[in-house]
Amino acid sequence: MSVTWNKATVLLLTFLWATSIRAVDADSINRAASRDDFVHASLLVIGPGNAVYEAYGHVALRMECPSQGLDYCFTFEMPMNVQNLTKFFTSDSKAGFSSVPSEMFIAHFKKLGRSMTQYELNLLPKEKQTLWRLLDEEAVKPPRWTFDVTQNSCTSMVAYITEQSLDHERIVYHDLPQMLEGSYNDVADSCSRNSPWAGLFWKLHMGDKGRKRADVSVMFMPEVMAEVWQKATLEGDSTGKRPLVKGEALLIAPQVLKVEPPLVTPNTAGLILILTAVAGMVFFWRRKKEK
Protein backbone atom coordinates (compact mmCIF):
# COMPACT_ATOMS: atom_id res chain seq x y z
CA MET A 1 0.00 0.00 0.00
CA SER A 2 1.41 3.36 -0.98
CA VAL A 3 1.25 6.44 1.21
CA THR A 4 0.75 9.89 -0.29
CA TRP A 5 2.49 12.70 1.66
CA ASN A 6 0.78 16.03 1.08
CA LYS A 7 2.07 19.38 2.32
CA ALA A 8 -0.34 19.60 5.24
CA THR A 9 0.71 16.18 6.51
CA VAL A 10 4.40 17.07 6.36
CA LEU A 11 3.80 20.33 8.26
CA LEU A 12 1.74 18.52 10.91
CA LEU A 13 4.37 15.80 11.43
CA THR A 14 7.14 18.41 11.58
CA PHE A 15 5.22 20.37 14.21
CA LEU A 16 4.58 17.25 16.30
CA TRP A 17 8.25 16.25 16.07
CA ALA A 18 9.45 19.71 17.10
CA THR A 19 6.94 19.82 19.95
CA SER A 20 8.05 16.43 21.24
CA ILE A 21 11.69 17.52 21.11
CA ARG A 22 10.87 20.68 23.06
CA ALA A 23 8.93 18.64 25.60
CA VAL A 24 11.86 16.27 26.05
CA ASP A 25 14.23 19.23 26.38
CA ALA A 26 11.93 20.91 28.91
CA ASP A 27 11.70 17.71 30.95
CA SER A 28 15.46 17.25 30.96
CA ILE A 29 16.02 20.88 31.94
CA ASN A 30 13.45 20.61 34.73
CA ARG A 31 15.22 17.53 36.06
CA ALA A 32 18.58 19.26 35.83
CA ALA A 33 17.20 22.37 37.52
CA SER A 34 16.34 20.35 40.62
CA ARG A 35 20.04 19.66 41.19
CA ASP A 36 21.95 21.95 43.50
CA ASP A 37 24.75 22.53 40.97
CA PHE A 38 22.47 23.61 38.08
CA VAL A 39 22.42 27.28 39.18
CA HIS A 40 25.00 29.05 41.35
CA ALA A 41 24.12 32.27 43.19
CA SER A 42 26.91 34.33 44.72
CA LEU A 43 27.48 37.59 46.54
CA LEU A 44 30.22 39.72 44.97
CA VAL A 45 31.99 42.26 47.18
CA ILE A 46 34.04 44.89 45.33
CA GLY A 47 36.83 46.91 46.93
CA PRO A 48 36.91 50.70 47.31
CA GLY A 49 37.57 53.30 44.63
CA ASN A 50 38.84 56.87 44.81
CA ALA A 51 35.53 58.73 44.37
CA VAL A 52 33.58 59.49 47.55
CA TYR A 53 30.68 57.32 46.37
CA GLU A 54 33.13 54.43 45.76
CA ALA A 55 35.00 54.73 49.07
CA TYR A 56 33.17 51.85 50.76
CA GLY A 57 33.12 49.51 47.77
CA HIS A 58 30.17 47.85 46.11
CA VAL A 59 28.20 44.59 46.16
CA ALA A 60 26.37 42.67 43.44
CA LEU A 61 24.86 39.25 42.79
CA ARG A 62 26.33 36.78 40.30
CA MET A 63 24.06 34.14 38.77
CA GLU A 64 25.58 31.23 36.84
CA CYS A 65 24.14 28.26 34.94
CA PRO A 66 27.21 26.45 33.53
CA SER A 67 25.30 23.82 31.55
CA GLN A 68 23.43 26.53 29.61
CA GLY A 69 26.43 28.86 29.30
CA LEU A 70 24.74 31.65 31.29
CA ASP A 71 26.73 33.91 33.61
CA TYR A 72 25.46 37.38 34.59
CA CYS A 73 26.07 39.91 37.34
CA PHE A 74 23.16 41.94 38.68
CA THR A 75 24.15 45.28 40.16
CA PHE A 76 21.98 47.87 41.91
CA GLU A 77 23.16 51.32 40.88
CA MET A 78 22.09 54.90 40.36
CA PRO A 79 22.56 56.10 36.74
CA MET A 80 25.38 58.65 36.78
CA ASN A 81 23.82 61.48 34.80
CA VAL A 82 23.50 65.17 35.62
CA GLN A 83 19.77 65.02 36.35
CA ASN A 84 20.06 62.07 38.70
CA LEU A 85 23.14 63.46 40.45
CA THR A 86 21.29 66.72 41.08
CA LYS A 87 18.37 64.81 42.58
CA PHE A 88 20.81 62.81 44.72
CA PHE A 89 21.40 65.85 46.93
CA THR A 90 17.66 66.29 47.40
CA SER A 91 17.23 62.55 48.17
CA ASP A 92 15.07 62.05 45.10
CA SER A 93 17.42 60.20 42.73
CA LYS A 94 16.33 56.86 41.25
CA ALA A 95 18.27 53.59 41.14
CA GLY A 96 17.63 50.08 39.92
CA PHE A 97 19.08 46.69 39.01
CA SER A 98 20.86 46.08 35.73
CA SER A 99 22.38 42.88 34.34
CA VAL A 100 25.89 42.70 32.89
CA PRO A 101 27.70 39.67 31.47
CA SER A 102 30.02 38.55 34.26
CA GLU A 103 33.10 38.60 32.04
CA MET A 104 32.48 42.28 31.26
CA PHE A 105 31.59 43.15 34.87
CA ILE A 106 34.73 41.53 36.29
CA ALA A 107 36.97 43.05 33.62
CA HIS A 108 35.64 46.53 34.42
CA PHE A 109 36.67 46.40 38.08
CA LYS A 110 39.95 44.63 37.34
CA LYS A 111 40.84 47.50 35.01
CA LEU A 112 40.14 49.97 37.82
CA GLY A 113 42.36 47.95 40.16
CA ARG A 114 39.52 47.24 42.58
CA SER A 115 39.26 43.89 44.33
CA MET A 116 36.44 41.41 43.89
CA THR A 117 35.62 38.53 46.24
CA GLN A 118 32.90 35.95 45.60
CA TYR A 119 30.83 34.23 48.30
CA GLU A 120 28.57 31.41 47.06
CA LEU A 121 25.13 31.44 48.66
CA ASN A 122 23.72 28.25 50.14
CA LEU A 123 20.23 28.65 48.66
CA LEU A 124 17.95 25.78 47.67
CA PRO A 125 17.62 25.05 43.91
CA LYS A 126 14.11 26.53 43.80
CA GLU A 127 15.27 29.63 45.69
CA LYS A 128 18.13 30.24 43.25
CA GLN A 129 15.73 30.01 40.31
CA THR A 130 13.33 32.42 42.03
CA LEU A 131 16.19 34.82 42.76
CA TRP A 132 17.25 34.80 39.10
CA ARG A 133 13.67 35.39 37.96
CA LEU A 134 13.24 38.33 40.36
CA LEU A 135 16.53 39.86 39.22
CA ASP A 136 15.56 39.48 35.56
CA GLU A 137 12.23 41.17 36.25
CA GLU A 138 13.94 44.07 38.01
CA ALA A 139 16.63 44.46 35.34
CA VAL A 140 14.12 45.15 32.54
CA LYS A 141 12.40 47.91 34.53
CA PRO A 142 13.65 51.52 34.49
CA PRO A 143 15.28 52.78 37.71
CA ARG A 144 12.36 53.06 40.12
CA TRP A 145 13.78 52.89 43.63
CA THR A 146 14.50 56.16 45.42
CA PHE A 147 18.16 55.89 46.33
CA ASP A 148 18.75 56.12 50.07
CA VAL A 149 21.99 54.89 51.62
CA THR A 150 20.14 53.79 54.77
CA GLN A 151 17.40 51.92 52.87
CA ASN A 152 17.79 51.52 49.10
CA SER A 153 21.51 51.05 48.48
CA CYS A 154 23.48 48.27 46.78
CA THR A 155 23.80 46.29 50.00
CA SER A 156 20.24 46.71 51.26
CA MET A 157 18.72 45.85 47.87
CA VAL A 158 20.90 42.75 47.45
CA ALA A 159 19.76 41.65 50.91
CA TYR A 160 16.13 42.52 50.11
CA ILE A 161 15.89 40.60 46.84
CA THR A 162 17.71 37.59 48.31
CA GLU A 163 15.23 37.47 51.17
CA GLN A 164 12.34 37.70 48.66
CA SER A 165 13.59 34.52 46.95
CA LEU A 166 13.51 32.39 50.11
CA ASP A 167 10.95 29.60 50.31
CA HIS A 168 9.54 29.66 53.88
CA GLU A 169 12.99 30.45 55.24
CA ARG A 170 14.64 33.49 56.78
CA ILE A 171 18.14 34.87 57.22
CA VAL A 172 19.28 34.89 60.84
CA TYR A 173 22.30 37.01 61.82
CA HIS A 174 24.84 36.05 64.47
CA ASP A 175 27.84 37.67 66.22
CA LEU A 176 27.20 41.13 64.82
CA PRO A 177 30.14 43.56 64.72
CA GLN A 178 30.10 46.20 67.43
CA MET A 179 29.59 49.03 64.93
CA LEU A 180 26.07 47.75 64.19
CA GLU A 181 25.10 48.35 67.81
CA GLY A 182 25.21 52.10 67.20
CA SER A 183 23.80 54.52 64.64
CA TYR A 184 24.30 54.77 60.89
CA ASN A 185 26.76 57.59 61.59
CA ASP A 186 28.76 55.20 63.79
CA VAL A 187 28.93 52.69 60.94
CA ALA A 188 30.07 55.43 58.55
CA ASP A 189 32.77 56.57 60.99
CA SER A 190 34.01 53.02 61.52
CA CYS A 191 34.29 52.41 57.78
CA SER A 192 35.85 55.79 56.99
CA ARG A 193 39.31 55.15 58.38
CA ASN A 194 41.00 55.97 55.06
CA SER A 195 38.21 58.12 53.63
CA PRO A 196 37.17 60.80 56.14
CA TRP A 197 35.77 63.00 53.35
CA ALA A 198 33.54 60.12 52.25
CA GLY A 199 32.37 59.73 55.84
CA LEU A 200 31.44 63.42 55.94
CA PHE A 201 29.77 63.16 52.50
CA TRP A 202 27.54 60.23 53.48
CA LYS A 203 26.67 61.71 56.88
CA LEU A 204 25.55 64.93 55.20
CA HIS A 205 23.50 62.83 52.76
CA MET A 206 21.86 60.84 55.58
CA GLY A 207 21.03 63.92 57.63
CA ASP A 208 18.83 63.13 60.62
CA LYS A 209 18.53 59.47 59.52
CA GLY A 210 22.20 59.04 60.37
CA ARG A 211 21.37 59.29 64.08
CA LYS A 212 18.99 56.33 63.94
CA ARG A 213 20.08 52.90 65.12
CA ALA A 214 21.62 50.87 62.29
CA ASP A 215 19.43 48.14 60.80
CA VAL A 216 21.38 44.91 60.36
CA SER A 217 19.28 43.94 57.34
CA VAL A 218 20.50 47.06 55.54
CA MET A 219 24.26 46.92 56.21
CA PHE A 220 24.99 49.76 53.82
CA MET A 221 28.77 49.23 53.95
CA PRO A 222 29.93 46.32 51.73
CA GLU A 223 32.74 45.25 54.07
CA VAL A 224 30.18 44.95 56.89
CA MET A 225 27.85 42.89 54.70
CA ALA A 226 30.63 40.46 53.78
CA GLU A 227 31.47 39.91 57.46
CA VAL A 228 27.86 39.54 58.60
CA TRP A 229 26.73 37.22 55.78
CA GLN A 230 29.59 34.80 56.40
CA LYS A 231 28.28 34.30 59.95
CA ALA A 232 24.56 34.25 59.05
CA THR A 233 22.36 31.18 58.71
CA LEU A 234 19.27 30.22 56.71
CA GLU A 235 16.55 28.80 58.94
CA GLY A 236 13.13 27.31 58.24
CA ASP A 237 10.68 25.02 60.00
CA SER A 238 10.96 22.31 57.32
CA THR A 239 14.53 22.93 56.13
CA GLY A 240 16.35 23.28 59.43
CA LYS A 241 19.43 25.45 59.78
CA ARG A 242 22.40 25.87 57.45
CA PRO A 243 25.04 28.54 56.69
CA LEU A 244 24.01 31.34 54.32
CA VAL A 245 27.43 31.22 52.65
CA LYS A 246 28.96 27.87 51.71
CA GLY A 247 32.55 26.97 50.98
CA GLU A 248 35.52 29.31 51.00
CA ALA A 249 35.51 32.85 49.66
CA LEU A 250 36.94 33.11 46.13
CA LEU A 251 39.24 36.05 45.41
CA ILE A 252 38.56 36.94 41.77
CA ALA A 253 40.78 40.03 41.73
CA PRO A 254 43.11 41.62 44.32
CA GLN A 255 42.94 45.26 45.40
CA VAL A 256 45.61 46.95 43.26
CA LEU A 257 44.27 50.49 43.57
CA LYS A 258 45.65 52.19 46.68
CA VAL A 259 43.22 54.40 48.54
CA GLU A 260 45.44 56.61 50.67
CA PRO A 261 44.21 58.80 53.53
CA PRO A 262 43.95 62.43 52.34
CA LEU A 263 46.56 64.95 53.45
CA VAL A 264 43.81 67.30 54.60
CA THR A 265 40.97 65.78 56.62
CA PRO A 266 37.60 67.44 57.27
CA ASN A 267 38.71 68.24 60.83
CA THR A 268 41.91 69.82 59.60
CA ALA A 269 40.05 71.75 56.90
CA GLY A 270 37.57 72.99 59.51
CA LEU A 271 40.39 74.14 61.79
CA ILE A 272 42.06 75.95 58.87
CA LEU A 273 38.80 77.74 58.06
CA ILE A 274 38.31 78.78 61.67
CA LEU A 275 41.90 80.04 61.95
CA THR A 276 41.55 81.90 58.63
CA ALA A 277 38.32 83.52 59.81
CA VAL A 278 39.92 84.54 63.13
CA ALA A 279 43.00 85.92 61.35
CA GLY A 280 40.73 87.91 59.03
CA MET A 281 38.76 89.35 61.92
CA VAL A 282 41.99 90.35 63.73
CA PHE A 283 43.35 91.95 60.55
CA PHE A 284 40.24 94.07 59.96
CA TRP A 285 40.04 94.99 63.69
CA ARG A 286 43.64 96.28 63.60
CA ARG A 287 43.03 98.21 60.37
CA LYS A 288 39.98 99.80 61.93
CA LYS A 289 41.89 100.66 65.11
CA GLU A 290 44.74 102.24 63.13
CA LYS A 291 42.28 104.53 61.42
Side-chain angles (χ1 to χ4, degrees), residues 36 41 47 58 67 70 78 84 105 193 215 226 235 242 260 262:
D36 185 58
H58 186 55
S67 66
L70 301 175
M78 183 183 76
N84 221 24
F105 189 78
R193 297 178 296 275
D215 181 355
E235 300 182 18
R242 65 186 187 282
E260 301 288 350

Side-chain angles (χ1 to χ4, degrees), residues 8 52 61 116 140 223 225:
V52 290
L61 287 168
M116 183 178 293
V140 298
E223 66 178 76
M225 187 172 194

Side-chain angles (χ1 to χ4, degrees), residues 162-173:
T162 301
E163 290 168 347
Q164 292 300 302
S165 71
L166 300 180
D167 186 18
H168 298 95
E169 292 189 303
R170 64 189 183 280
I171 299 175
V172 180
Y173 300 104

Side-chain angles (χ1 to χ4, degrees), residues 168-232:
H168 298 95
E169 292 189 303
R170 64 189 183 280
I171 299 175
V172 180
Y173 300 104
H174 310 276
D175 301 325
L176 298 177
Q178 187 175 0
M179 70 178 74
L180 289 178
E181 296 178 2
S183 66
Y184 289 112
N185 284 338
D186 293 330
V187 179
D189 286 335
S190 180
C191 295
S192 301
R193 297 178 296 275
N194 294 325
S195 306
W197 285 104
L200 177 61
F201 174 82
W202 286 115
K203 284 197 282 187
L204 288 174
H205 173 71
M206 289 186 289
D208 291 337
K209 292 181 181 178
R211 300 187 182 92
K212 293 182 178 179
R213 184 178 177 85
D215 181 355
V216 66
S217 66
V218 174
M219 298 173 294
F220 68 99
M221 302 303 179
E223 66 178 76
V224 181
M225 187 172 194
E227 179 182 352
V228 171
W229 274 35
Q230 288 181 89
K231 298 177 182 178

Side-chain angles (χ1 to χ4, degrees), residues 216-284:
V216 66
S217 66
V218 174
M219 298 173 294
F220 68 99
M221 302 303 179
E223 66 178 76
V224 181
M225 187 172 194
E227 179 182 352
V228 171
W229 274 35
Q230 288 181 89
K231 298 177 182 178
T233 54
L234 288 165
E235 300 182 18
D237 294 337
S238 60
T239 56
K241 177 180 177 180
R242 65 186 187 282
L244 173 59
V245 173
K246 65 179 181 179
E248 297 294 327
L250 173 65
L251 180 63
I252 296 176
Q255 181 75 17
V256 178
L257 177 69
K258 293 183 179 180
V259 181
E260 301 288 350
L263 295 176
V264 180
T265 66
N267 290 338
T268 303
L271 180 60
I272 291 173
L273 288 174
I274 292 173
L275 292 175
T276 302
V278 171
M281 291 172 64
V282 170
F283 174 78
F284 285 111

Side-chain angles (χ1 to χ4, degrees), residues 74 97-99 133-144:
F74 292 85
F97 279 99
S98 60
S99 66
R133 175 179 57 79
L134 293 174
L135 287 166
D136 274 337
E137 291 174 354
E138 284 291 335
V140 298
K141 297 175 182 176
R144 64 191 185 93

Side-chain angles (χ1 to χ4, degrees), residues 10 40 52 57 79 85 87 122 125 140 145 198 229 239 252 263 288:
V10 171
H40 299 274
V52 290
L85 286 174
K87 290 182 177 181
N122 199 15
V140 298
W145 299 88
W229 274 35
T239 56
I252 296 176
L263 295 176
K288 185 176 180 180

